[in-house]
């Protein structure tokens, strides 16, 4: 419900593996103390609210395995400078990979596999120097692997 945004002191929201339906409330962007957001394995639909980009303390996002969440990856997520884990796989995300995610230099785990993403891997993603795992399989990506990605010293799994 929209009233979830009133929970301004909550630091962790674990609502995994339920049967929640409907859209992610835009008012979640008001949960300014939130560090860990987990909504994985539900029946959520709609797009990812751009308002999540206002959650400056957020370190982890698990939205995966919500097959009815569609639309592009919001560029506003690049505002989340503390983000270390972004799990958005097995969804119906489409559009290109946002170059702006390169601003997340603290990102360690980026899972975007099994979506409908298109285009090329942005060259700027090679700036994510702490990235250890990048999963992009099961999309409609094309083009060469950027040279900058090959230079990521921390990258263990691609």
């Amino acid at each position: 419900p929209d009233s979830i945004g009133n929970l301004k002191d909550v630091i962790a929201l674990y609502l995994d593996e339920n049967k929640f339906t409907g859209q992610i409330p835009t008012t979640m962007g008001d949960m300014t103390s939130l560090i860990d957001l987990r909504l994985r394995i539900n029946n959520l639909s709609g797009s990812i609210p751009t308002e999540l980009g206002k959650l400056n303390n957020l370190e982890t996002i698990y939205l995966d395995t919500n097959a009815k969440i569609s639309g592009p990856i919001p560029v506003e997520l690049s505002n989340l400078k503390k983000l270390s884990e972004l799990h958005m796989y097995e969804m119906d995300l489409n559009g290109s990979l946002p170059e702006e995610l390169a601003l997340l230099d603290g990102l360690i785990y980026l899972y975007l596999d099994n979506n409908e993403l298109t285009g090329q891997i942005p060259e700027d993603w090679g700036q994510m120097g702490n990235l250890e795992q990048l999963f992009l399989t099961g999309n409609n990506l094309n083009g060469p692997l950027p040279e900058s990605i090959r230079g990521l010293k921390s990258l263990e799994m691609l």
Side-chain angles (χ1 to χ4, degrees), residues 95-115:
S96 59
L97 299 170
E99 284 185 39
E100 294 84 353
L101 290 186
L103 299 172
L104 301 175
D105 55 5
L107 201 61
I108 297 171
Y109 305 110
L110 179 55
Y111 299 110
L112 299 173
D113 43 311
N114 298 311
N115 280 291

Side-chain angles (χ1 to χ4, degrees), residues 34-149:
L34 200 60
I35 293 172
D36 194 349
L37 173 62
R38 298 176 189 234
L39 299 174
R40 58 189 305 272
I41 313 175
N42 278 292
N43 292 312
L44 298 171
S45 59
S47 59
I48 298 169
T50 58
E51 290 81 1
L52 294 184
K54 298 189 308 184
L55 299 175
N56 295 328
N57 293 310
L58 210 54
E59 295 176 8
T60 56
I61 299 177
Y62 287 79
L63 298 179
D64 58 271
T65 322
N66 280 291
K68 295 179 184 171
I69 292 181
S70 60
I73 299 169
V75 296
E76 290 81 1
L77 296 182
S78 65
N79 297 329
L80 305 176
K81 303 302 182 206
K82 296 181 180 179
L83 199 66
S84 62
E85 296 186 43
L86 183 55
H87 301 259
M88 297 194 307
Y89 59 89
E90 294 183 21
M91 298 168 69
D92 195 28
L93 299 177
N94 55 50
S96 59
L97 299 170
E99 284 185 39
E100 294 84 353
L101 290 186
L103 299 172
L104 301 175
D105 55 5
L107 201 61
I108 297 171
Y109 305 110
L110 179 55
Y111 299 110
L112 299 173
D113 43 311
N114 298 311
N115 280 291
E116 297 295 326
L117 298 167
T118 58
Q120 297 185 358
I121 300 170
E123 184 73 36
D124 289 348
W125 279 23
Q127 297 172 19
M128 294 189 274
N130 292 309
L131 197 62
E132 292 179 9
Q133 296 182 8
L134 173 61
F135 288 9
L136 298 170
T137 59
N139 284 291
N140 296 307
L141 301 173
N142 59 41
L145 183 66
E147 196 65 40
S148 63
I149 298 292

